[in-house]
Amino acid sequence: MKLILTQEVSGLGAPGDIVEVKDGYGRNFLIPRGLGMRWTKGGEKQVASIRKAREVREIRDLGHAEQIKGQLEGLSVKLPARSGESGRLFGSVTVADIVAAVKQSGGPDIDKRRIEIGTPIKTLGSHQVSVRLHPELSAKLSLEVVSA
C-alpha cells in the first residue's frame, strides 16, 4: 500500500514522504490515527504543501542541528511542578511542559514531537531528555524538576 505521511513516524519517514507499507499497517494504524493518507495523483499535489510547511519549521541541515545541540546542552532548564512531601509529582511532566521550560530558559524554539522521554517523569530532581534534531543527531537536555 502506498501512503503519503502527514506526520513524522519514527522508523518510517517525515511528513510529505511517500512510503510503501503493508496493507494492515496502513489501514489499521497509520490512516485511522491521521499519520498518513492513501496515495493518489490528487494527493501528490498535497505533498508539495506538506513539504513546504515542514521546511518552515525544519532544522535546515546538520550544521544548524549542531548549533542548536550546543544551545540545548549548554542550557540549564528548571521546570516547576506541584509535588507531594515525598517528592512525587501530582501527575507527570509532559512534553509541552518541557518545550515551555526550554523557551522560558532562553533556549531555542523546538518542536514538541522531537522530544523523547524514556520513562515518564514523576519525581523531583534531575532528569535527562533526548531531543531528535536531525536524523543523524540528537541532543541530551538536562532537566531539573523543582517543587512549585
Side-chain angles (χ1 to χ4, degrees), residues 4-65:
I4 301 170
L5 295 179
T6 56
Q7 293 182 14
E8 186 169 342
V9 179
S10 62
L12 194 57
D17 289 351
I18 299 171
V19 295
E20 185 77 31
V21 296
K22 297 216 176 191
D23 291 346
Y25 183 52
R27 188 175 54 247
N28 297 326
F29 183 77
L30 295 173
I31 293 174
R33 286 178 173 77
L35 300 174
M37 62 185 192
R38 289 188 182 273
W39 178 87
T40 61
K41 289 190 180 191
E44 191 77 38
K45 294 174 185 168
Q46 290 179 324
V47 170
S49 65
I50 291 171
R51 284 190 177 150
K52 193 175 203 180
R54 179 174 90 185
E55 288 173 6
V56 169
R57 66 176 185 269
E58 185 74 22
I59 294 172
R60 292 185 297 277
D61 57 2
L62 191 57
H64 187 233

Side-chain angles (χ1 to χ4, degrees), residues 4-148:
I4 301 170
L5 295 179
T6 56
Q7 293 182 14
E8 186 169 342
V9 179
S10 62
L12 194 57
D17 289 351
I18 299 171
V19 295
E20 185 77 31
V21 296
K22 297 216 176 191
D23 291 346
Y25 183 52
R27 188 175 54 247
N28 297 326
F29 183 77
L30 295 173
I31 293 174
R33 286 178 173 77
L35 300 174
M37 62 185 192
R38 289 188 182 273
W39 178 87
T40 61
K41 289 190 180 191
E44 191 77 38
K45 294 174 185 168
Q46 290 179 324
V47 170
S49 65
I50 291 171
R51 284 190 177 150
K52 193 175 203 180
R54 179 174 90 185
E55 288 173 6
V56 169
R57 66 176 185 269
E58 185 74 22
I59 294 172
R60 292 185 297 277
D61 57 2
L62 191 57
H64 187 233
E66 290 279 355
Q67 180 183 5
I68 291 176
K69 179 181 178 180
Q71 290 176 349
L72 285 175
E73 290 182 345
L75 197 64
S76 77
V77 179
K78 290 194 186 275
L79 181 73
R82 290 187 28 190
S83 65
E85 292 178 17
S86 64
R88 286 193 49 84
L89 300 181
F90 299 134
S92 63
V93 174
T94 64
V95 176
D97 295 337
I98 295 171
V99 169
V102 168
K103 188 98 170 142
Q104 187 179 21
S105 298
D109 190 21
I110 51 179
D111 190 9
K112 70 179 183 178
R113 292 175 289 225
R114 297 196 171 276
I115 296 177
E116 296 174 341
I117 302 174
T119 58
I121 299 173
K122 295 186 176 194
T123 58
L124 295 176
S126 182
H127 299 277
Q128 289 285 324
V129 176
S130 177
V131 182
R132 282 181 292 108
L133 298 172
H134 195 267
E136 303 168 12
L137 184 70
S138 67
K140 294 288 183 190
L141 178 64
S142 296
L143 182 68
E144 183 71 31
V145 181
V146 295
S147 182

